[in-house]
Structure formats: C-alpha cells, structure tokens
Amino acid sequence: MRIGGLASGIDTESMIRDLMNAERMPLDKLHQDRTKLEWKRDAFRDVNKMLADFDTNMIFNMKMSATFNTKIISSTQEDAVVATGNSGSNSGTYRINVSQLASSAINVGEDGVDFATDQTLNEAGITGSISFRTYGKDSSYGEDGNNYRDHVYEIREDDKLSDVIRRINDDANSPVRMTYDENSNKVILEATRTGVYNEGGAEIDFGSDESGFFNSLGLDMETEQGAQNAIFTYNGAYTVNTQDNHYQLNGVTFQFLNETEGEATLNVANDIDHTVDKIKEFIEAYNEIVDTINGSQREEVFRDYPPLTDEQKSDMSEREIELWEEKAKSGMLRGESFLSTGLSNMRQSWYGTVQNDGAFTSLTELGIETTADYMDGGKLVIKDESKLRDALAEDPESVEKLFSNSSEGEGRGIIDRLEDAVEGTISQINRRAGRSTDVSLDGYALGKRMEDINSRIETFERRLETVEARYWNQFSEMERAISMMNQQSEMLMSNFGSGMV
C-alpha cells in the first residue's frame, strides 16, 4: 500500500495514474491489434465451418446414388401387398398374386400344467436338463454343418416355471417364445419366425427331452399347428414359396400383409420430387456460401472504430458496445484474396463440361445456370425446372453421372470438382486461421502473429512495472526532500522565534 502527498499535499496517486495511462497507450494498441487478429481468425473459422458443413452434408448427399434414384412405389391393394425400393430398383410395373401368407408354428398345452406353478421344478419331479431342437434353412444353421440347433437349459435347484420361461424367452439364439396363461393354466409354445423349416415334422422338436418338462405342461408335438410358407405368383408366371412375408426381386422388396384379391399391381417409378428437392436444397446452401464470401469482400471497413479497451467499455452500455463492435468487426476479411480465389474455383466447377458416357455433359442441359447478374458472384438458379424433371424421368443415371463421378480428368463429376475447390479453400483457411480444435498458436499464420504480440505485451507490461516503480520512487524522494525542508524550516522558525523573546 502506497500513500503519497503527506508532505507536499500533492495527489501523487492520481498523478502517477495519469502518467501511467499515457505510458500504457502503446500497450492498449497492442491489445487492440491482438483483438483484431482474434476477430479475423474467428471470421475465417466461421467461413470454414460453413464450408465444412456444406462438404459433409450437401456435397456428400449429392454424391449418393439414392439422391438421384430414390423410388416411389404405389400399390392397387395396399392392404395386401406394399413394396420398397433401393437406388438399384428397376422401374416398371409388377403384378403380384398372394395366395397364402407365411405363419408361425404354435403349440398349446391341451391338459394344462399338472403341477403347482409356485413350487420348484425339482419339487414337481422335473430334473436334469430341458432340451428342444429347432431347424434352419440350410446346414449353416447349426453346428458341424447341421441344419438344426439344440437348445439346452439346466434346471437349477430353485427354478420355477416362470424362471425357465424367462430363460427361454431371453435366449437370443432361440426362435421360440413361451407364455403361461394363469386363467386357463396352460402354456403356449410358439415360434417367433414364420415359415416351415422342418418338412414333415414339428418346428419345435422336444421329442428327445428327458426331463419330463414338456409332458408336465400338457404339450404334444402332434398338436403343433400353424407353420406355413407364403406363396405368391409374380407377373402371372413365376410362383414363389417363401418362409417370410417379404421377398426381394430386382431390388424391390415386396411386403405381404394379406392374401390378394386376384393380382395387385405395383408401379415402381423414380421419385422425381425427392431429387428436385435435394438439388434445390443444395443450390440454396451453395448460394448462401457465395453470399457469405462475396459479402465479406464488400463489407465497409470503419477505421475509426478500433476494438474497445476495458476502460472504455466500463463507460458504455451493452448496446453501445454492441453497435461499436459491429462497426469495428466490419470488413474483417476484406482483401483476403484467397477467399475470392476459392470462390472463383468453386464457380469454375459449374462451367466446364463433363465427358462421360451419359446423355448430359453440362448443367445447362438440365435447366440449371448461373445468374446473369455478375454482382451475384456466380449463384446457381434452376432456370427451367421442367427440363430438369424431364431429364430425371427419362435418364436419372445420366443425371447422376453428370453430378457425381469420381474419375479424374475431363470425366470428373461437377460435384467432385466442387468438392476439390471447397476442400482446397478449407485447407487455405486452416493454414491462415487454424482449426477450432488447435490449442497452440504456432500452427497457423495468424496464431504466430498473435504469439508475437503476446510476447511484446509481456515485455511491455514488465517495462511498465519498472516505470511505475520509478515514478513512485521519484515522488517518494520528492516527498522526503519536502519533509526535510519543512523540518528545517520549523527548526529555523523555532530558533529565530526563541531569540526574539
């Protein structure tokens, strides 16, 4: 704690504070320069985030076959048969006649459970292991090349019926479900899959079980029923017998819900609306990037609005600070030539022809062009949507080849060329402003400049500490000299005063 002015009456602290404010002016300028660099770095990273999101989402989607070949399928009997298609599905009309649905095997205990369900199985005389067998489509289903699989459950000392039922139902390798109905005291044993897997025999085969478990539940394999395959006829000529209520042909997956009344007609066509919407979303996102980069090069620079110091902010309202900084940040990226170059490279992606074996080699053939106003900076516009829709209806594969083709050279797709330009710009910005995950400043150009300013700030702050200490020493010496003079004056006055008496 320093107290000045005791001898002189001078407000030493205020004088030194004013002197130090003058001394700190270069330091304030260094802080403002660092803030400008931080703002510029953040502005670059905002552009980079937009480009990265565009690359990850929009460009990626435009390279997916599903964008251009999504199918829409209608059915004349939607309550009986519906279908879904992938990008490889063949368009056209399909006639399906479903004469039988696939169903699951089920076995109900005829006589009910012959022991008290609250007692243990051991108490009911059921010991050893419970076992049953299920069958698969081929020899890969079981072990050692068998088409069957044995399911074995050891009976524990305190196991009750409910425990065994839970263990069977929780077994992921068992296509079987067991249910106990307390009202009728009966057990239901059923397959969790449809279809016939064991021709001429039970789907859930417990004939070799020696525990007596299934007998005590009143279950008999002879009473099992329900297992059957689905049967349908395709286009009036091809009859299929399948264990499931779905089947795939030509990339179309048919789902059977009920038996049909005669033939159901399903029409598979390209979902043109889906593709057009995706292209519009892409164009909108691209034009937003064009606006952002062009806008950054046209923003006015307000040189009379430097970053505010902490002292200046303390005298202003939040709204005043916000308005000031809005002007101070304006034009932060103006004149950064590689942004303009990056945008130019993106724009060039649209102008070149794409040499491929498809029907289209340029965007104009699809009714897509860049705007005529050069001030727009090369925005895209769908000038003739009907031309785009016609192309997608007649030859979606050629449209896809124009947009997406990963080959090099003249055959490289428009989207792939754009991706090259976008990733090149992202790389340039990373070298200039770094990534948001960067911890060190020395990995990018602006960071190195900030690091240099930080070093100069530290040096200057140490110098200011020395200067302030010197001022206090000088004022302290002055106070000491004045104090001595005051003491001498008092002594003289005292001596002269005593001599006059």
Side-chain angles (χ1 to χ4, degrees):
M1 181 178 179
R2 292 166 169 167
I3 301 176
L6 293 177
S8 64
I10 298 173
D11 188 353
T12 305
E13 187 173 352
S14 296
M15 290 187 66
I16 293 178
R17 184 170 57 249
D18 292 341
L19 289 168
M20 290 307 298
N21 285 339
E23 294 282 353
R24 283 194 179 90
M25 290 179 65
L27 179 63
D28 290 339
K29 181 64 169 60
L30 287 174
H31 279 289
Q32 289 172 325
D33 290 344
R34 184 178 64 182
T35 299
K36 283 184 178 179
L37 290 176
E38 290 173 346
W39 286 349
K40 177 168 285 193
R41 177 196 63 189
D42 293 344
F44 271 127
R45 289 181 177 179
D46 287 343
V47 173
N48 232 13
K49 185 179 184 305
M50 177 179 285
L51 290 173
D53 289 344
F54 180 69
D55 187 14
T56 302
N57 298 315
M58 294 300 172
I59 288 181
F60 177 79
N61 287 339
M62 291 300 292
K63 292 172 70 176
M64 297 292 290
S65 182
T67 298
F68 304 93
N69 292 296
T70 297
K71 304 298 180 180
I72 183 169
I73 303 177
S74 60
S75 171
T76 58
Q77 296 186 41
E78 291 187 348
D79 61 336
V81 57
V82 293
T84 57
N86 56 39
S87 59
S89 304
N90 292 326
S91 298
T93 300
Y94 300 81
R95 303 192 319 275
I96 301 293
N97 185 340
V98 181
S99 57
Q100 178 174 293
L101 290 179
S103 58
S104 304
I106 185 168
N107 196 334
V108 180
E110 291 293 330
D111 301 326
V113 179
D114 65 1
F115 60 89
T117 57
D118 60 349
Q119 68 178 151
T120 66
L121 296 182
N122 284 341
E123 290 172 341
I126 303 171
T127 60
S129 299
I130 299 169
S131 65
F132 59 87
R133 177 175 291 179
T134 58
Y135 298 83
K137 291 182 179 181
D138 51 44
S139 59
S140 65
Y141 178 73
E143 297 179 358
D144 302 325
N146 298 318
N147 72 326
Y148 60 83
R149 182 181 297 165
D150 289 320
H151 309 273
V152 180
Y153 307 91
E154 293 290 337
I155 299 176
R156 300 163 185 165
E157 184 177 352
D158 56 350
D159 274 347
K160 297 179 182 178
L161 175 61
S162 58
D163 298 313
V164 174
I165 289 177
R166 187 181 306 110
R167 205 177 310 156
I168 291 173
N169 292 345
D170 290 346
D171 187 351
N173 293 317
S174 172
V176 171
R177 177 173 63 236
M178 183 177 281
T179 306
Y180 172 65
D181 180 7
E182 295 181 357
N183 297 311
S184 64
N185 190 37
K186 291 183 178 182
V187 167
I188 303 168
L189 185 65
E190 58 187 325
T192 57
R193 62 189 179 183
T194 59
V196 176
Y197 292 85
N198 184 26
E199 291 286 350
E203 292 298 315
I204 307 172
D205 182 355
F206 47 82
S208 61
D209 179 67
E210 298 179 353
S211 68
F213 177 69
F214 294 100
N215 287 336
S216 65
L217 301 180
L219 290 168
D220 186 343
M221 289 191 299
E222 297 297 326
T223 62
E224 182 186 275
Q225 57 184 333
Q228 66 179 29
N229 290 342
I231 301 174
F232 73 96
T233 303
Y234 170 73
N235 282 352
Y238 178 46
T239 299
V240 178
N241 188 307
T242 175
Q243 292 157 327
D244 304 303
N245 283 316
H246 55 82
Y247 200 84
Q248 188 179 82
L249 282 170
N250 294 328
V252 178
T253 300
F254 299 95
Q255 185 74 36
F256 310 130
L257 307 176
N258 282 299
E259 295 176 4
T260 57
E261 296 179 6
E263 286 186 332
T265 302
L266 293 95
N267 185 55
V268 180
N270 287 320
D271 191 348
I272 296 175
D273 288 338
H274 169 81
T275 304
V276 170
D277 287 344
K278 288 294 183 183
I279 291 174
K280 286 180 177 179
E281 288 175 15
F282 172 81
I283 289 175
E284 184 178 347
Y286 173 77
N287 288 343
E288 186 178 348
I289 288 174
V290 173
D291 272 338
T292 298
I293 295 180
N294 272 336
S296 72
Q297 302 305 297
R298 295 172 182 165
E299 278 185 349
E300 186 176 354
V301 178
F302 297 94
R303 302 192 184 281
D304 294 334
Y305 287 81
L308 295 168
T309 64
D310 291 339
E311 188 174 349
Q312 290 171 328
K313 288 181 179 180
S314 65
D315 296 330
M316 301 171 67
S317 68
E318 289 187 8
R319 181 58 178 164
E320 288 172 333
I321 294 172
E322 180 183 345
L323 293 173
W324 182 283
E325 291 192 343
E326 184 179 320
K327 288 183 177 293
K329 292 179 180 180
S330 179
M332 195 57 59
L333 299 181
R334 184 165 182 167
E336 296 292 343
S337 59
F338 73 84
L339 287 179
S340 300
T341 301
L343 186 56
S344 177
N345 292 337
M346 293 180 219
R347 191 162 50 242
Q348 288 300 319
S349 305
W350 310 118
Y351 295 142
T353 58
V354 178
Q355 301 300 329
N356 59 64
D357 57 0
F360 309 109
T361 59
S362 69
L363 273 182
T364 55
E365 295 176 84
L366 304 181
I368 302 174
E369 301 177 5
T370 53
T371 56
D373 189 350
Y374 78 96
M375 291 295 290
D376 284 342
K379 286 184 179 181
L380 292 176
V381 61
I382 300 178
K383 196 169 184 179
D384 188 347
E385 187 172 322
S386 62
K387 186 183 287 189
L388 173 61
R389 288 181 174 274
D390 289 343
L392 289 169
E394 295 168 9
D395 195 351
E397 289 78 12
S398 290
V399 176
E400 180 182 356
K401 287 179 181 178
L402 173 64
F403 275 98
S404 177
N405 189 357
S406 59
S407 67
E408 300 296 331
E410 294 182 348
R412 192 162 180 79
I414 288 174
I415 293 299
D416 299 271
R417 296 177 184 181
L418 176 65
E419 185 176 36
D420 294 339
V422 168
E423 291 180 351
T425 305
I426 289 174
S427 179
Q428 287 268 18
I429 293 177
N430 285 340
R431 287 194 290 270
R432 184 95 164 100
R435 299 173 175 82
S436 59
T437 55
D438 287 341
V439 177
S440 174
L441 295 174
D442 58 7
Y444 54 97
L446 290 177
K448 290 177 180 178
R449 290 173 59 186
M450 290 162 60
E451 201 167 38
D452 176 64
I453 290 178
N454 287 340
S455 177
R456 290 164 61 190
I457 287 174
E458 289 178 7
T459 302
F460 203 92
E461 285 177 340
R462 288 195 296 269
R463 176 180 171 276
L464 286 179
E465 290 175 1
T466 303
V467 170
E468 186 175 10
R470 190 186 73 232
Y471 280 140
W472 276 105
N473 287 337
Q474 289 174 339
F475 275 97
S476 294
E477 288 300 320
M478 181 190 73
E479 291 290 333
R480 188 178 297 109
I482 292 174
S483 178
M484 291 178 61
M485 290 177 61
N486 287 339
Q487 290 175 3
Q488 291 174 357
S489 176
E490 290 176 1
M491 183 182 65
L492 290 173
M493 290 296 295
S494 176
N495 288 337
F496 281 122
S498 60
M500 292 176 62
V501 176

